[in-house]
Amino acid sequence: MNTEKTNREKYFAFMLIVMGVFGLLVILWRLTCYQFEYDPKHYPVDYGAYNVLSYFTIQSNIFSSVYLVIKGFAVNGSGKAKKFAFNPTVTLFVTTYIIITGLVYCSGFPLKMSPPLHWNTAYRAMHSFTQIFHHVIMPLFMTVLFFFPSTEEKISKKAVFLAGIYPFVYSVFSIIRGAVGRMHFYAYPFYRPDFFTDLLMKGKEVSLPLSYILMLPALVLGIGLFIAAAAILRILYNRRIKSKYGKEEK
């Protein structure tokens, strides 16, 4: 019986490491095989290959991929890896970020904000696959994994609010970078000061300070979305802990 359990753990660890390494290779492909294809709506300017690292999508996928590799080693018995990968707070952060990545991308299709997928050339097919992998496959994989806890430790209430810190810092940095950077690059359209003025003021002339003021409620709602998602995940995760280990909520 112990041998069977050990073998299952080894297979599971191997699967996690393979998934994590594959995720990193997909990002590496995107960096090394970058081709700019002009698109007047979604890609009007060539910001360069490495600018892809500015996207929350890529960053959340890097977090997830690295987490999977480390968790694979943790499942395989590495004590140092366990301290990181078996920490429920770390698990909450990584899962929350990748889930929001998937939700925002998929909701962008009906709003016509997400770039369309193309499969007519080898490069476009691979590029479209990376979009699906980053926004659909990885979020689903991480969501399923989230409900297979490796320890009896529950997620604290404090961790829910801490989950909003990184998205807040990322958002502030993205807004400032777009405003003062040489190329005025905004990772996402909702970081542009004119996005909400066009949406709410219907093209009327609005001062720049007012544009940023109009952006504040959306920023608060955005961070609130991360905290809300983390809160829901915490409830579900702790219920799973209670079901699996019989531990009551403290």
Side-chain angles (χ1 to χ4, degrees), residues 66-83:
V66 171
Y67 172 83
L68 289 174
V69 172
I70 296 175
K71 182 154 187 171
F73 284 108
V75 172
N76 218 22
S78 171
K80 291 182 179 179
K82 286 181 180 180
K83 290 181 180 179

Side-chain angles (χ1 to χ4, degrees), residues 16-92:
L16 294 175
I17 293 172
V18 168
M19 186 67 172
V21 170
F22 182 75
L24 294 173
L25 289 175
V26 169
I27 294 171
L28 181 62
W29 174 87
R30 178 67 177 79
L31 293 173
T32 56
C33 299
Y34 170 79
Q35 295 178 21
F36 173 68
E37 294 188 2
Y38 174 77
D39 180 326
K41 181 177 180 181
H42 299 288
Y43 304 108
V45 179
D46 183 4
Y47 292 104
Y50 293 99
N51 196 62
V52 70
L53 297 172
S54 303
Y55 289 100
F56 191 87
T57 290
I58 300 299
Q59 294 179 19
S60 61
N61 271 272
I62 291 175
F63 297 156
S64 296
S65 297
V66 171
Y67 172 83
L68 289 174
V69 172
I70 296 175
K71 182 154 187 171
F73 284 108
V75 172
N76 218 22
S78 171
K80 291 182 179 179
K82 286 181 180 180
K83 290 181 180 179
F84 176 81
F86 287 2
N87 186 321
T89 298
V90 173
T91 302
L92 176 69

Side-chain angles (χ1 to χ4, degrees), residues 2-242:
N2 288 336
T3 303
E4 287 183 12
K5 182 179 179 181
T6 302
N7 287 336
R8 285 200 303 269
E9 288 178 345
K10 286 183 178 179
Y11 294 143
F12 182 53
F14 179 73
M15 178 191 69
L16 294 175
I17 293 172
V18 168
M19 186 67 172
V21 170
F22 182 75
L24 294 173
L25 289 175
V26 169
I27 294 171
L28 181 62
W29 174 87
R30 178 67 177 79
L31 293 173
T32 56
C33 299
Y34 170 79
Q35 295 178 21
F36 173 68
E37 294 188 2
Y38 174 77
D39 180 326
K41 181 177 180 181
H42 299 288
Y43 304 108
V45 179
D46 183 4
Y47 292 104
Y50 293 99
N51 196 62
V52 70
L53 297 172
S54 303
Y55 289 100
F56 191 87
T57 290
I58 300 299
Q59 294 179 19
S60 61
N61 271 272
I62 291 175
F63 297 156
S64 296
S65 297
V66 171
Y67 172 83
L68 289 174
V69 172
I70 296 175
K71 182 154 187 171
F73 284 108
V75 172
N76 218 22
S78 171
K80 291 182 179 179
K82 286 181 180 180
K83 290 181 180 179
F84 176 81
F86 287 2
N87 186 321
T89 298
V90 173
T91 302
L92 176 69
F93 290 174
V94 175
T95 308
T96 299
Y97 301 155
I98 197 68
I99 284 177
I100 295 298
T101 290
L103 289 176
V104 171
Y105 177 82
C106 292
S107 65
F109 277 109
L111 297 175
K112 296 182 179 180
M113 291 177 63
S114 296
L117 302 173
H118 299 287
W119 307 90
N120 56 325
T121 66
Y123 175 80
R124 287 185 172 184
M126 185 60 188
H127 186 270
S128 295
F129 168 75
T130 63
Q131 296 298 312
I132 293 174
F133 181 82
H134 287 155
H135 298 99
V136 180
I137 296 175
M138 186 63 89
L140 288 175
F141 185 88
M142 292 297 294
T143 301
V144 172
L145 182 64
F146 183 77
F147 293 103
F148 289 88
S150 302
T151 70
E152 299 181 19
E153 186 179 354
K154 291 189 174 184
I155 297 173
S156 67
K157 292 180 180 178
K158 181 181 178 181
V160 170
F161 295 98
L162 292 177
I165 293 177
Y166 177 74
F168 173 76
V169 173
Y170 172 84
S171 296
V172 172
F173 172 79
S174 298
I175 293 169
I176 294 175
R177 180 193 175 190
V180 304
R182 181 174 60 87
M183 300 187 78
H184 296 292
F185 168 78
Y186 291 93
Y188 299 99
F190 43 78
Y191 287 141
R192 301 182 64 90
D194 58 354
F195 179 81
F196 291 101
T197 56
D198 290 344
L199 189 66
L200 301 173
M201 310 298 287
K202 300 187 183 299
K204 292 181 180 177
E205 219 54 47
V206 176
S207 66
L208 191 60
L210 180 57
S211 297
Y212 285 110
I213 291 173
L214 291 173
M215 187 188 294
L216 282 176
L219 181 60
V220 172
L221 285 174
I223 304 307
L225 176 62
F226 281 91
I227 294 175
I232 293 171
L233 287 174
R234 174 184 174 269
I235 292 171
L236 296 175
Y237 183 90
N238 288 352
R239 285 181 179 176
R240 173 65 176 154
I241 291 291
K242 181 180 178 182

